Amino acid sequence: MSRESSDPARLWSALAPLLAGQPRVRLSRDAGKTYPQKFERDLTDALPTLPAAVRIFGKDGTCAAIFLDFDSSVAGADWVEADVRALQTWLHSCGARWIEDYSPSGGRHVYIPLEQRVTFTEARDLVEALGTRHRSLDKTPHQNLLHGCMRTPGSPHKRGGHQQLAMSLNMAYDVVRRPNSPEIWANLTADLAAEIAAVRALRLEQSFIPATTETPKAPRLAGRMSRPMQQLALTGLYDVNRYATDSDARQAVIVNAAAAGMELVDVERRILQGIWPGLASFYARYPSRHRMPALKRDWANALAHLRKSQGKEAKKNSVHISPTSQPPTQAGALIALKESIDSSNPDAEHRYIRTWRNALRLKEPAYTDSRTGLARRMVLRALGEAAHMTASRFIEFGDRSLAVATGLDHTTVGSHLRALRSENNPLVTLVEQGRGTKGDLYMLTIPEDLKTAAEDLTWRKGKIYALRPVFRELGLPAAFVYEALEQSPTPLPTMELVRLTKLSRTAVTEALEILAAWKMISRSTARVWSVVASTSLKELAEYFGVLEAVAAQMQRYRIERIVWREWLSKNVTTVTELLSPGEDYPWEMFEGPPDEWSLADMAFGQTG
């Protein structure tokens, strides 16, 4: 093979952009084990230094090539070799052209470029059908619309070396520049008709279980669709026992979007920007110029359907319980102190909280940029956000509410709170432990050794945020870097961000790369960074599927609260007061979070 055909950089620049479903690539920072969404970048001609996998599907839910991954870890390299030879014989009989490469581990990839892009459903059917013929074929890349990706020729391999072509670069480039025609695609699907029918029948026999299920009493997020419908719009996967065709599934999404109060322009934008590739794939069977008119027809049908059932829905939704009703007050002398402070000028409380934020800034260098240190900084931010929301330095939220606000587990939040309040000169003080349905009562405290400096320091403008949902995916360092840029009136260089965030230069640099890859920040010619105001954090969180995780966590905690209240109703009436730790009381499972006063409910609509 010529030197040109074995040069990884040349292979990558010649083939990767033409094979990819969209110009995006994911890098692996754990030696090729995973390709996280947060490490996704724009695809360029430059060869990545890390193992890199291109996205298979585009924003419209279609792919430009079929990616077949024959994995040697399933049955060994010999079986891979036999499967690939059988596949090549079949492709040749159908008149198809392909590209083949191999990895240092013995695995092989076969790419079938297509002149006319095919939908997610069509591609998945074909690959799953081939999987019934070839044991070593990994079907998963074509079974996930959002995360389907694969290394292409030239990509670095986790064991060292690169993906190498099993043919000359000239031949491979000719195949990708003159892809297979629609007639060839028809030949492939016709020859696999029996296998395709079998895999579709198998889906009919299996019940579809979404990642999160909707129950009659599940929490509904204001202005948002139900979670199963959001998943359908994202992934294009649906229960075939409920929806017979793609058309039925897409109409269900459109009706749900209209019922949630969305406008047609909102749906159009989500399709065009790739936020809902699953829904976009349902319209991909139409020529490009007919897709938006088809969407408008579906929207008109959805509105007509909703108008017919408007009276019934109005009765169902006539009662609304506010999630922000006032929390029960504490009894005793400590509450008298709390009420005496609360009864003063509310502006004084906000001034106190802003001064406390200055103290937090001064003390943050004490928290290292380790995972523990960053988590404790985020817990303190959640307490500060809660204080601003309630206009009080006293915070009475359970660990579960703080867990939703910080993206941590509630047991982890509890351990961080215990560590924070046991510090010398702490920033938070435990006023009273929670009992029954009441959460622990905390007070923001300005340490004496920082009081003068905090009062002299200029208040920082803007809000203080807990962990906004999108940063559950992008990470805590990215959250701190974005916050620093967001609050700065002028663009900032990297070293200034290191100083402001108290993070290492390596952590800041990686966070900047992540934020820039998702168009959240941009760098000017002066090599300084600034926030891209047009990028919506809420829409990115929706694209990542993070809102699903937040809603599922909130629902799980609500169920646990119900169980806790039931335990109280059966046991507390038999004793004069609540039991103490160490007695017959499930403290390990429940710390008694407040039932209606939920930080998550207050903050969810303010996540930027």
Side-chain angles (χ1 to χ4, degrees), residues 327-511:
T329 58
Q330 300 283 347
L334 290 173
I335 265 320
L337 171 63
K338 176 179 180 292
E339 290 177 348
S340 68
I341 294 176
D342 286 347
S343 62
S344 61
N345 186 353
D347 290 340
E349 278 298 278
H350 279 296
R351 288 196 294 270
Y352 179 91
I353 296 167
R354 288 195 174 274
T355 304
W356 178 87
R357 287 173 58 181
N358 286 345
L360 173 61
R361 288 167 56 191
L362 293 170
K363 194 167 182 177
E364 275 192 331
Y367 303 106
T368 64
D369 62 353
S370 66
R371 181 178 298 179
T372 299
L374 295 180
R376 288 180 184 171
R377 289 169 64 177
M378 192 54 68
V379 170
L380 289 169
R381 274 170 163 71
L383 292 171
E385 183 181 36
H388 272 305
M389 288 177 178
T390 58
S392 173
R393 72 189 73 178
F394 292 92
I395 302 121
E396 188 184 41
F397 294 106
D399 288 353
R400 285 170 172 78
S401 288
L402 293 171
V404 176
T406 57
L408 303 170
D409 183 77
H410 70 279
T411 58
T412 304
V413 169
S415 66
H416 286 317
L417 286 171
R418 289 190 292 272
L420 289 169
R421 72 196 188 209
S422 63
E423 295 176 348
N424 293 326
N425 297 317
L427 288 165
V428 292
T429 302
L430 178 64
V431 176
E432 186 177 6
Q433 287 187 339
R435 289 292 187 271
T437 59
K438 297 178 181 179
D440 292 340
L441 178 63
Y442 282 92
M443 180 177 70
L444 301 186
T445 306
I446 301 175
E448 287 297 326
D449 60 336
L450 297 177
K451 190 170 184 179
T452 301
E455 290 174 347
D456 293 341
L457 197 64
T458 303
W459 288 338
R460 179 171 287 180
K461 296 181 179 180
K463 299 179 181 179
I464 183 172
Y465 288 104
L467 190 71
R468 287 174 278 190
V470 66
F471 293 109
R472 288 192 177 206
E473 173 69 23
L474 302 183
L476 291 177
F480 290 121
V481 170
Y482 188 86
E483 178 188 70
L485 288 170
E486 189 178 36
Q487 294 179 347
S488 173
T490 59
L492 298 174
T494 302
M495 288 311 298
E496 180 65 11
L497 287 168
V498 172
R499 185 187 70 82
L500 289 173
T501 60
K502 312 299 188 296
L503 300 173
S504 67
R505 178 167 185 139
T506 301
V508 170
T509 301
E510 183 175 301

Side-chain angles (χ1 to χ4, degrees), residues 133-144:
R133 293 185 176 183
H134 307 296
R135 177 181 176 184
S136 63
L137 177 61
D138 181 6
K139 303 180 288 294
T140 55
H142 273 278
Q143 290 176 320
N144 197 308

